[in-house]
Amino acid sequence: MKKSDFYYDLPEELIAQTPIEPRDHSRLLYLDKSTGKTGHYHFYDLPRFLRPGDCLILNDTRVLPARIFGVKETTGAVVEFVLLRQRGKDEWEALAGPGKKARPGSRFSFGDGLMTAEVLEVLEGGNRLIRFIYEGVFYDLLDRIGQMPLPPYITEKLQDKERYQTVYSRELGSAAAPTAGLHFTPQLLEDIQAQGIAIGYVTLHVGLGTFRPVKEEKIENHKMHTEQYYMPAETADLINRTKAAGGRVICVGTTSCRTVESAAPADGGPMEACSGDTDIFIYPGYTFKCMDGLITNFHLPESTLIMLVSAFAGYDAVMAAYKEAVEEKYRFFSFGDAMLIV
């Protein structure tokens, strides 16, 4: 398939700039995978579509306030860094802009001297490897000086940093939020569990490659970024029990989907605890090994994420649902509304 197959028209005013309050009052477009039929609800209606014996798989990653501004020691020039992943003790891979001011050997001060950093090398693709020097606890300092790395299509300032975190986030390491999970409240999670639906957690640390545009017209030629994932033993066991009893494994977000599908054995055997890096690229033609249902936000035109959703629910059904969502004035992207596909 071609990249242009996944294009749709989206009026700019439908790109959500701020999150809905309360979280679970966002809208929910229901898509029946077998018939292509749709329905319009709110996220708090989710329990009506779940059955006792199902399980929800949530990504418990927590977003780093990874956007920091450094002052170059020799010239006073301001350079923006976005931390992507830890490479070693106090060493991080980061985006830098403008890059020409962040050459190897250059040093930067952050937060009026709270910490400093040296650029060690330029990595493949132009990212920088930088080493931090500081006193105290790195993540405490980062919380003081860092900002949330919101996607470029969100132009309004986020008033509360916790609104770009899920209520169940706990494992620090992401450069972007697993946004399908932003709709859950503690009460909604309690209600779901009280209904006999189990909840399991995986971790996938979301990279900014999530927002990297597909440049190849033939989508098979697109090279995916890699992300770290963890499938704990208790979640693997939950998935195995759910499948054995005839329940459905419903992933909350494309990040949970990529984790589950990366961890699932190719031979169809039972899920086991595992971890590693994944660059799985799911597009139409992919055979799902584990996932039976998906909760997801509305994704950018021509993105790998709309391709993943189309692989699961069918290209025609997904493109028709997106057209309907635009007509019904749903809110799109990270702070937007959600879809449930089962």
Side-chain angles (χ1 to χ4, degrees):
M1 300 185 76
K2 301 193 297 290
K3 176 181 75 168
S4 54
D5 293 332
F6 297 90
Y7 179 79
Y8 65 92
D9 281 317
L10 180 69
E12 191 172 336
E13 63 267 21
L14 296 186
I15 300 174
Q17 294 295 317
T18 55
I20 284 284
E21 295 292 349
R23 290 174 182 256
D24 61 358
H25 279 52
S26 52
R27 295 167 74 188
L28 180 69
L29 190 152
Y30 168 71
L31 174 60
D32 186 313
K33 191 160 103 61
S34 59
T35 65
K37 289 184 179 177
T38 57
H40 303 285
Y41 303 90
H42 286 89
F43 202 83
Y44 52 70
D45 295 316
L46 177 64
R48 74 163 67 182
F49 299 103
L50 306 177
R51 304 193 292 249
D54 289 343
C55 73
L56 289 182
I57 303 299
L58 280 56
N59 181 7
D60 65 3
T61 189
R62 187 166 173 80
V63 186
L64 291 164
R67 188 179 182 213
I68 56 177
F69 293 87
V71 178
K72 194 170 184 178
E73 289 185 348
T74 53
T75 66
V78 176
V79 174
E80 177 185 355
F81 293 88
V82 179
L83 306 185
L84 298 177
R85 64 189 299 177
Q86 191 167 7
R87 288 294 194 94
K89 180 170 168 46
D90 299 329
E91 293 184 3
W92 287 78
E93 180 179 348
L95 295 173
K100 63 179 183 293
K101 297 185 185 299
R103 295 192 171 96
S106 52
R107 293 173 64 92
F108 295 85
S109 173
F110 300 89
D112 293 326
L114 271 179
M115 57 182 173
T116 59
E118 180 182 355
V119 178
L120 300 180
E121 62 177 293
V122 178
L123 303 172
E124 184 180 358
N127 293 346
R128 268 52 177 178
L129 182 66
I130 59 177
R131 181 191 293 125
F132 287 98
I133 302 103
Y134 57 91
E135 291 184 3
V137 179
F138 177 78
Y139 291 112
D140 290 347
L141 297 174
L142 187 63
D143 203 47
R144 289 171 63 183
I145 67 173
Q147 299 177 20
M148 283 297 174
L150 295 179
Y153 48 74
I154 294 176
T155 55
E156 291 199 21
K157 185 173 175 59
L158 183 64
Q159 298 303 317
D160 176 9
K161 283 200 279 195
E162 281 302 307
R163 282 305 272 111
Y164 196 56
Q165 306 278 15
T166 63
V167 297
Y168 48 82
S169 65
R170 56 191 177 192
E171 300 292 340
L172 267 173
S174 275
T179 54
L182 295 179
H183 308 282
F184 286 93
T185 64
Q187 185 61 53
L188 182 58
L189 290 169
E190 282 184 29
D191 293 345
I192 287 168
Q193 289 175 297
Q195 193 175 302
I197 292 102
I199 292 177
Y201 295 94
V202 296
T203 305
L204 182 137
H205 291 315
V206 189
L208 285 184
T210 294
F211 306 109
R212 182 185 297 160
V214 176
K215 294 181 178 174
E216 303 284 350
E217 181 59 17
K218 191 175 181 182
I219 64 173
E220 296 93 328
N221 295 335
H222 176 69
K223 180 169 171 46
M224 286 288 284
H225 57 291
T226 60
E227 294 168 313
Q228 293 175 294
Y229 75 92
Y230 305 87
M231 170 63 71
E234 57 267 27
T235 303
D237 292 342
L238 171 61
I239 289 171
N240 293 334
R241 292 196 308 272
T242 300
K243 289 285 194 181
R248 300 174 298 179
V249 174
I250 299 171
C251 291
V252 176
T254 57
T255 61
S256 296
C257 168
R258 294 206 301 277
T259 303
V260 164
E261 291 297 314
S262 296
D267 62 4
M271 187 76 74
E272 295 181 356
C274 58
S275 63
D277 287 345
T278 180
D279 61 357
I280 190 170
F281 182 16
I282 297 174
Y283 55 86
Y286 177 85
T287 300
F288 285 84
K289 303 190 286 290
C290 181
M291 185 174 76
D292 302 304
L294 177 65
I295 298 169
T296 185
N297 281 18
F298 293 93
H299 303 294
L300 276 73
E302 301 184 337
S303 64
T304 61
L305 303 182
I306 193 174
M307 294 172 191
L308 182 156
V309 177
S310 298
F312 182 64
Y315 171 80
D316 291 337
V318 168
M319 299 311 288
Y322 268 62
K323 184 172 185 292
E324 189 174 330
V326 171
E327 290 167 353
E328 295 291 329
K329 299 197 180 320
Y330 273 66
R331 303 167 82 245
F332 278 66
F333 307 161
S334 292
F335 286 143
D337 296 316
M339 290 180 77
L340 167 65
I341 306 167
V342 286

